[in-house]
């Protein structure tokens, strides 16, 4: 992990590189940057730089343009710190490399926190291991999300219009997979892609049979299907599926009481 003074210097250097460079501003806004700055004053300073960029469409030429805004809101302590920042740093540096260093340091802090919290808890080694695994998974997801920048509304609208046009031209809802059951597809269009769809019913209502029928229909459309069962064994599912495809009673398959034609 970086020492606080080294972390502050790196954050300050990154901010200095943003002035007079639309390219660097585009780079910094292309990643999820809301947790990039740990120094609270530098985080506030960065928010004003971002606001200037979004309001004007270009990067501020110098810190003076930001300082004028801070003077209007009487943030004199922050102005004094900004003066020190630009006195001790230069505007030369690789923005991507600097952001990668900050993100890597954030991950190091997360790992340190997880290990510290696991030691402080009065739990068994087994529970501690589970705690560490769960927290590490959260940390990995958080680290991967740095490049998942929220799209602007105008981009969302444009993507939606493109999707509607595609559906209009093809006559199909591209974001849905047909269930292959005509009456059901008329009601729900199909299974929405990128969504979790849950089929729920009381025991014995045919959920497994429906799932296997759905699997076959989806396979016929050229998709791949993966089944993870925590209830029925693979052989039992295969037997149900074989019975449905062959239209032979599963009891006859299980007992082997088949005539030659059925076999």
């Amino acid at each position: 992990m970086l020492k606080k003074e080294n972390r502050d210097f790196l954050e300050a250097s990154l901010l200095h590189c943003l002035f007079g460079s639309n390219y660097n501003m585009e780079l910094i806004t292309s990643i999820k940057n809301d947790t990039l700055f740990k120094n609270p004053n530098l985080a506030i300073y960065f928010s004003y730089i971002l606001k200037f960029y979004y309001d004007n469409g270009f990067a501020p030429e110098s810190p003076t343009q930001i300082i004028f805004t801070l003077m209007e809101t009487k943030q004199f302590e922050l102005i004094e710190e900004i003066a020190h920042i630009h006195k001790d740093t230069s505007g030369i540096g690789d923005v991507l490399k600097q952001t990668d260093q900050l993100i890597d340091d954030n991950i190091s802090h997360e790992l340190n926190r997880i290990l510290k919290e696991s030691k402080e808890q009065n739990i068994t080694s087994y529970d501690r291991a589970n705690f560490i695994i769960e927290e590490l998974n959260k940390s990995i997801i958080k680290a991967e999300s740095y490049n998942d920048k929220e799209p602007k509304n105008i981009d969302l609208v444009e993507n939606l219009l493109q999707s509607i046009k595609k559906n209009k031209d093809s006559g199909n809802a591209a974001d849905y997979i047909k269930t292959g059951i005509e009456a059901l597809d008329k009601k729900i269009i199909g299974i929405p892609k990128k969504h979790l769809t849950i089929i729920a019913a009381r025991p014995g209502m045919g959920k497994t049979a429906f799932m296997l029928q759905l699997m076959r229909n989806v396979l016929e459309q050229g998709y791949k299907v993966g089944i993870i069962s925590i209830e029925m064994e693979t052989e039992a599912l295969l037997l149900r599926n074989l019975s449905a495809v062959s239209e032979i009673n599963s009891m006859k398959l299980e007992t082997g009481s088949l005539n030659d034609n059925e076999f």
Side-chain angles (χ1 to χ4, degrees):
M1 289 189 299
L2 295 171
K3 293 181 179 179
K4 186 181 184 306
E5 58 269 24
N6 294 335
R7 171 86 190 202
D8 287 347
F9 180 81
L10 183 59
E11 291 183 10
S13 297
L14 174 58
L15 289 175
H16 203 154
C17 291
L18 301 180
F19 289 96
S21 175
N22 289 328
Y23 176 73
N24 284 345
M25 285 300 305
E26 288 176 13
L27 288 178
I28 200 71
T29 56
S30 69
I31 65 167
K32 195 173 182 180
N33 50 53
D34 54 344
T35 58
L36 203 56
F37 296 89
K38 288 191 176 295
N39 184 307
N41 285 331
L42 295 180
I44 294 171
Y45 186 26
F46 176 59
S47 69
Y48 277 95
I49 296 173
L50 272 184
K51 186 176 186 307
F52 183 96
Y53 177 69
Y54 287 133
D55 288 348
N56 297 281
F58 54 85
E61 286 297 324
S62 73
T64 307
Q65 292 169 296
I66 307 300
I67 289 172
F68 279 140
T69 304
L70 295 175
M71 288 178 68
E72 291 174 0
T73 54
K74 298 182 179 180
Q75 298 190 54
F76 300 115
E77 288 185 10
L78 183 55
I79 293 171
E80 187 176 345
E81 184 160 342
I82 290 172
H84 287 297
I85 288 171
H86 294 289
K87 178 183 177 184
D88 299 331
T89 61
S90 69
I92 301 172
D94 186 330
V95 168
L96 286 180
K97 185 177 180 180
Q98 290 169 325
T99 53
D100 283 345
Q101 286 178 287
L102 292 176
I103 291 170
D104 188 67
D105 190 53
N106 285 351
I107 296 169
S108 295
H109 278 277
E110 277 289 297
L111 294 176
N112 191 54
R113 175 192 65 79
I114 292 168
L115 293 174
K116 184 180 178 182
E117 288 185 14
S118 70
K119 290 178 181 178
E120 291 173 349
Q121 296 189 40
N122 186 24
I123 52 178
T124 64
S125 298
Y126 178 81
D127 289 336
R128 182 173 290 113
N130 278 331
F131 171 81
I132 291 173
I133 291 170
E134 185 176 337
E135 290 299 308
L136 281 175
N137 281 331
K138 292 178 184 177
S139 181
I140 290 169
I141 292 170
K142 184 177 179 181
E144 289 176 342
S145 72
Y146 274 106
N147 291 322
D148 295 337
K149 186 194 169 191
E150 288 292 324
K152 296 179 182 177
N153 284 344
I154 190 169
D155 296 325
L156 292 172
V157 172
E158 180 61 30
N159 291 338
L160 180 60
L161 290 175
Q162 290 295 331
S163 177
I164 292 171
K165 184 179 185 302
K166 186 177 180 181
N167 293 344
K168 174 181 176 296
D169 294 341
S170 66
N172 294 314
D175 292 331
Y176 290 82
I177 298 172
K178 295 291 185 183
T179 67
I181 302 169
E182 187 176 350
L184 183 59
D185 286 330
K186 285 182 178 179
K187 293 289 186 182
I188 67 169
I189 305 177
I191 304 168
K193 296 178 181 178
K194 301 180 182 179
H195 284 248
L196 173 65
T197 301
I198 297 175
I199 301 163
R202 290 166 61 93
M205 299 296 289
K207 296 187 297 296
T208 302
F210 174 71
M211 180 271 291
L212 291 172
Q213 181 64 54
L214 198 59
M215 175 197 73
R216 294 190 294 273
N217 293 350
V218 170
L219 284 170
E220 288 177 1
Q221 297 175 60
Y223 293 100
K224 293 182 179 180
V225 178
I227 296 178
I228 301 169
S229 175
I230 58 174
E231 180 187 15
M232 297 180 68
E233 294 182 354
T234 303
E235 289 78 6
L237 285 172
L238 288 171
L239 187 69
R240 293 280 295 271
N241 199 39
L242 188 59
S243 172
V245 172
S246 64
E247 298 182 357
I248 298 173
N249 189 291
S250 61
M251 186 69 74
K252 296 181 73 173
L253 294 176
E254 285 195 79
T255 59
S257 55
L258 308 168
N259 60 41
D260 290 342
N261 186 53
E262 289 171 331
F263 186 75

